[in-house]
Amino acid sequence: MIINPTYTGKQYWSTVIISGLLLSVLLSLAYVIFYERLYVEFSYLFSIIYLIPFVWLSITLAFFKNRFVWSEFSYGKAFTMSLMSGIIGSICFSGVIYILYAYIGMESRMGLYENGRMMRELFSPKATAISLLIINVILSLFYSLIIAIFARKKD
């Protein structure tokens, strides 16, 4: 008789939380490196930041599926895992960005534009963190829809 082990709720949610935290670390490191070292006003390299969650969430689901899932893994579970990891990563990443701009002293690129009051508000630490949060949550939703199609597993 063959026993098919499958994942537990604890394995599922610990993978979601750990993946989200590691995603925020990767995004933060990439953001700081690209922003401080490679930032050019019209550079396409900076857009790589938006592909990191897609790659990381794909790796997370592939790891979880191959490590813990030996029976059916539904589209809904794959989608939820990917989306929750993306949201956790986005929230932590936005918090790190806010801390970097508000307290650590990372300089805004506001000097590239006119120094009006409206521009200062648009490039404030709070506005930057909120905009990155919204962008990354929306991207996580789309990435999760795509990734879950390939991650589901039927008996």
Side-chain angles (χ1 to χ4, degrees), residues 24-56:
S24 70
V25 168
L26 284 173
L27 282 172
S28 300
L29 287 174
Y31 186 88
V32 169
I33 290 169
F34 289 158
Y35 195 74
E36 291 293 326
R37 303 286 183 235
L38 299 175
Y39 190 83
V40 179
E41 191 172 350
F42 299 106
S43 175
Y44 65 91
L45 286 175
F46 196 71
S47 61
I48 292 173
I49 295 254
Y50 301 113
L51 296 177
I52 291 173
F54 182 74
V55 172
W56 182 256

Side-chain angles (χ1 to χ4, degrees), residues 46-138:
F46 196 71
S47 61
I48 292 173
I49 295 254
Y50 301 113
L51 296 177
I52 291 173
F54 182 74
V55 172
W56 182 256
L57 295 174
S58 299
I59 291 170
T60 299
L61 278 172
F63 169 78
F64 184 80
K65 190 173 95 171
N66 292 329
R67 176 88 166 105
F68 297 118
V69 179
W70 290 26
S71 64
E72 187 172 316
F73 190 52
S74 69
Y75 177 85
K77 288 289 185 181
F79 173 76
T80 304
M81 174 180 264
S82 183
L83 181 64
M84 292 306 294
S85 294
I87 289 173
I88 290 170
S90 299
I91 291 169
C92 294
F93 173 60
S94 295
V96 168
I97 292 303
Y98 179 76
I99 290 169
L100 284 173
Y101 280 120
Y103 301 111
I104 305 296
M106 192 166 157
E107 292 182 21
S108 174
R109 299 293 185 201
M110 195 169 45
L112 295 175
Y113 307 99
E114 68 179 51
N115 289 326
R117 184 175 146 260
M118 175 112 171
M119 293 309 274
R120 282 194 297 277
E121 290 174 9
L122 289 175
F123 284 95
S124 70
K126 183 178 173 182
T128 303
I130 289 172
S131 67
L132 285 172
L133 174 67
I134 292 169
I135 289 167
N136 283 318
V137 166
I138 291 170

